[in-house]
Amino acid sequence: MPQESSCPSESPTSRTDGADTPHGGRTGHIGRIIFLNGTSSSGKSSIARELLLTLDETYFHMPVDAFHAMRSGHEVSPEELPAILRRTWRGFHRAVAGMAAGGNNVVVDHVLSEPWRLLDCLELFPPRNVVLVGVRCPLQELERRETRRGDRPVGLAARQWDQVHAHGLYDIECDTAATGAEDCARQIKDFLPRQPAPTAFEQLRAKLRPDLPAAG
């Protein structure tokens, strides 16, 4: 006797997440990526959690910290660590791209503290379907949060500060020192139906990755 699946059956008429319906200029059959970029302790994860509660469609939160946490716990030498971290980030990017390609909407929290990370994402992510969100916070407040949290290296946010927003272009920005996570999530939700074209990702791809073919 065939075993019953633990997942609900799905038919083309039962889809309710909107992933197969183009709207706001999105490419049909490809999920939307809400890309939260900011330094450590800037409030990205808090916004992501609120977005999952606020958004009407189904979204998956994919934090890079979850990918780092999957790594086995054996000791890694300082010489090995940079290459391992780079491979982790590359794999993370491809996992996000794969989820979107499968028609899933995704909320990503990211730290664009190395230029190659943005270049990699520009190649992999469908630029019309990306909402690039700048999550900003004054450095003094970041340092206060960092000290209070106690689970981040002291000075991490300061080291990331100059690079994270260096590309200088967003679809929408939030200041988490002035606005709480719930209100930031609501602002992003309200922005989605009126995201202009070209998107920030389309503009950045044309500027920074002219080697790539024009996105369809």
Side-chain angles (χ1 to χ4, degrees):
M1 180 179 296
Q3 293 182 339
E4 293 185 1
S5 170
S6 61
C7 297
S9 61
E10 181 180 289
S11 67
T13 57
S14 68
R15 293 294 297 270
T16 58
D17 60 8
D20 289 339
T21 304
H23 60 85
R26 281 196 289 165
T27 303
H29 304 283
I30 301 177
R32 171 182 273 143
I33 300 172
I34 299 179
F35 190 120
L36 307 174
N37 175 55
T39 66
S40 173
S41 301
S42 60
K44 302 182 299 295
S45 295
S46 296
I47 294 173
R49 287 191 292 269
E50 291 295 336
L51 280 169
L52 263 60
L53 296 172
T54 302
L55 294 167
D56 298 323
E57 298 179 46
T58 299
Y59 276 78
F60 292 83
H61 177 204
M62 296 182 69
V64 70
D65 284 350
F67 282 70
H68 290 304
M70 295 177 192
R71 193 167 58 245
S72 58
H74 71 271
E75 188 171 348
V76 176
S77 71
E79 293 75 24
E80 295 176 293
L81 186 59
I84 291 173
L85 293 178
R86 187 181 180 98
R87 290 197 299 270
T88 303
W89 279 101
R90 282 174 52 82
F92 171 61
H93 295 162
R94 282 149 183 81
V96 171
M99 283 291 284
N104 302 288
N105 299 315
V106 182
V107 178
V108 175
D109 57 72
H110 207 299
V111 185
L112 294 175
S113 56
E114 296 183 46
W116 76 266
R117 296 178 185 175
L118 175 58
L119 299 178
D120 199 37
C121 291
L122 289 171
E123 179 175 359
L124 295 168
F125 298 170
R128 186 168 298 178
N129 291 37
V130 178
V131 181
L132 187 55
V133 183
V135 181
R136 296 185 181 271
C137 185
L139 183 56
Q140 185 175 2
E141 173 62 14
L142 289 171
E143 291 172 337
R144 187 190 69 79
R145 294 178 185 180
E146 198 171 70
T147 300
R148 185 183 62 191
R149 287 177 61 161
D151 62 351
R152 293 290 187 273
V154 175
L156 178 60
R159 291 194 295 273
Q160 298 170 343
W161 177 262
D162 289 334
Q163 185 58 51
V164 166
H165 302 293
H167 58 279
L169 184 63
Y170 288 104
D171 292 303
I172 182 173
E173 298 188 36
C174 300
D175 181 348
T176 61
T179 309
E182 184 177 356
D183 287 336
C184 288
R186 190 176 298 110
Q187 290 173 11
I188 295 167
K189 177 184 178 180
D190 292 344
F191 172 79
L192 296 182
R194 51 187 178 85
Q195 182 182 14
T199 66
F201 240 62
E202 287 178 306
Q203 295 177 68
L204 288 168
R205 180 181 164 114
K207 177 182 178 181
L208 301 177
R209 293 301 310 265
D211 56 304
L212 297 175

